[in-house]
Amino acid sequence: MPSAEYFFLRVGLTFTSRIASKGVFIFKGMGAKLRAVDNTAEFPLEDFNLIGRSQDATIRVPDAGISRQHATLRREGKYFWVTDLGSANGTYVNDVAVTAARALRTGDRVQFGTSIYLFDQDETESIVATPTSGSGLQTQVLRSSPPLKTINATLLVGDLRDFTRISSKLTAEEVGNMLREWYADCEAILKPRGAVIDKFIGDGVFAYWPKVDVKSRAMALEAAKMLSRPEANHSPTRKRVTEELGIAIQCNVGLHVGEVALGTMGRGVHTAVGEAVNVTFRIESLTRKLGTPVLASRDFVDIWGTGQQLFEDAGTHELKGQPEPVDVFSIKSADVPVAKAV
């Protein structure tokens, strides 16, 4: 059978191939870069990038308005997420301040301090190419977006305590290594327990289980205990920082259950959103005020039955943005096996 000619069309690029059968082809993106608006500099992006004034930053910007460790750009799936690291003059995307991790798309205007760059990425498309009769060609580009749906989910937010203060005492390389190791630890703890890691947010992680049953709550609590325990500091960089600089690096965790909207939001980012997500972040923030590494909402604890023995009342507290105070609970003892409450 004679081979058919296929043309594969992507944004700005054309691929030609001669093959013997038809099918679906996915071409990986050719990378991403930041380009100064005045065309004086261009930086190819790695999977993890630390932007700052420090000489050992991944992307060093000699601008007095930029902090030593100013922001990170991290690839997650096919997107790059920008996160401000508590910089003095802020990070902006299209003139909007970055207050939480934000996914970038080609053409976005990214500002670190007073330095402005354009983000450019060769984005992946899924292509189906089908030969027509004779010499004609037919190309079909598929763009699919999962429908938005509402589910009840078990939610977890973890955050490295005092990260801004700690990072100010480290080199850019140490900050980058510490975050890479911590991301890997989060994945090693959360994914085997059935969690979906929604996103990493600089020094934080947001994950969820798409159910609110006892097993999901037990897995979330077990993950929270593992993330917050002292042994979690034993990755190479964190261990050295603790031993040589006397800096304790700990993770605080907030747990909650509630209704979330799950799907592709706005600019093609697949995520979970909703008031329950906001509450979980606020509960995690409350751990600092109460001096406890893990806090769970009453909704997380109440219908668990035997699981309630694992918690003790930590009081009723106001949460920013919430009209009513929220009851929260701390872990009664880290030594009580979660499995006994399942």
Side-chain angles (χ1 to χ4, degrees):
M1 185 177 72
S3 62
E5 184 175 56
Y6 296 79
F7 286 88
F8 302 95
L9 304 179
R10 298 181 64 219
V11 179
L13 295 173
T14 302
F15 296 86
T16 305
S17 177
R18 292 183 179 275
I19 60 178
S21 61
K22 57 189 177 182
V24 179
F25 300 86
I26 300 177
F27 289 88
K28 292 184 178 179
M30 302 298 289
K33 61 187 176 183
L34 287 178
R35 176 172 54 82
V37 291
D38 58 4
N39 291 315
T40 58
E42 184 174 293
F43 301 102
L45 297 178
E46 302 174 8
D47 285 346
F48 181 88
N49 308 269
L50 183 62
I51 296 100
R53 196 161 32 87
S54 172
Q55 292 198 10
D56 54 357
T58 311
I59 297 176
R60 181 172 177 252
V61 183
D63 179 342
I66 290 181
S67 302
R68 288 178 65 250
Q69 291 95 32
H70 192 99
T72 61
L73 270 170
R74 181 180 187 275
R75 183 172 192 143
E76 190 171 332
K78 70 175 183 176
Y79 292 100
F80 278 85
W81 294 76
V82 61
T83 304
D84 187 80
L85 296 178
S87 63
N89 294 315
T91 301
Y92 299 83
V93 176
N94 301 328
D95 298 320
V96 177
V98 174
T99 57
R102 174 167 177 173
L104 297 178
R105 295 296 295 269
T106 295
D108 278 348
R109 180 184 171 99
V110 188
Q111 181 174 344
F112 307 106
T114 58
S115 298
I116 303 173
Y117 299 87
L118 294 177
F119 176 76
D120 182 40
Q121 182 177 16
D122 185 8
E123 298 177 350
T124 299
E125 295 281 4
S126 296
I127 309 296
V128 175
T130 308
T132 58
S133 58
S135 60
L137 299 170
Q138 178 181 355
T139 301
Q140 181 181 8
V141 180
L142 300 181
R143 303 171 186 266
S144 60
S145 295
L148 186 67
K149 63 178 180 179
T150 300
I151 64 169
N152 287 314
T154 301
L155 310 171
L156 178 151
V157 170
D159 189 73
L160 292 178
R161 188 188 308 171
D162 296 329
F163 178 77
T164 301
R165 179 182 64 84
I166 293 171
S167 63
S168 68
K169 299 182 180 181
L170 305 177
T171 66
E173 182 179 3
E174 288 171 329
V175 172
N177 287 339
M178 182 174 68
L179 287 176
R180 275 191 289 267
E181 291 169 6
W182 188 65
Y183 292 161
D185 288 346
C186 288
E187 291 182 344
I189 291 171
L190 291 164
K191 287 185 176 180
R193 288 164 179 79
V196 177
I197 297 179
D198 188 278
K199 63 176 68 72
F200 289 105
I201 314 167
D203 60 329
V205 62
F206 167 48
Y208 65 88
W209 287 255
K211 295 181 180 180
V212 294
D213 59 351
V214 168
K215 182 178 178 181
S216 297
R217 296 175 198 231
M219 292 298 98
L221 179 58
E222 184 176 284
K225 291 170 68 174
M226 294 183 69
L227 287 169
S228 62
R229 68 188 184 186
E231 302 93 286
N233 289 324
H234 286 178
S235 61
T237 302
R238 281 179 284 167
K239 185 176 180 180
R240 187 175 64 79
V241 168
T242 300
E243 292 176 350
E244 296 181 8
L245 302 180
I247 299 175
I249 303 172
Q250 295 178 285
C251 176
N252 287 9
V253 181
L255 298 168
H256 185 46
V257 297
E259 188 176 85
V260 299
L262 187 64
T264 302
M265 309 292 173
R267 306 178 64 167
V269 180
H270 193 75
T271 188
V273 297
E275 192 59 27
V277 177
N278 297 334
V279 170
T280 313
F281 275 87
R282 299 302 183 194
I283 290 173
E284 187 282 320
S285 297
L286 189 62
T287 59
R288 291 155 180 75
K289 178 182 176 181
L290 301 186
T292 185
V294 180
L295 284 175
S297 67
R298 176 174 292 281
D299 289 337
F300 185 92
V301 174
D302 250 4
I303 64 169
W304 192 341
T306 56
Q308 295 182 25
Q309 65 181 303
L310 303 173
F311 299 92
E312 59 185 2
D313 193 344
T316 303
H317 301 270
E318 300 279 350
L319 296 182
K320 184 177 179 181
Q322 296 304 305
E324 299 293 335
V326 174
D327 296 332
V328 293
F329 297 80
S330 60
I331 298 176
K332 185 177 295 184
S333 172
D335 299 325
V336 178
V338 176
K340 288 188 176 182
V342 177

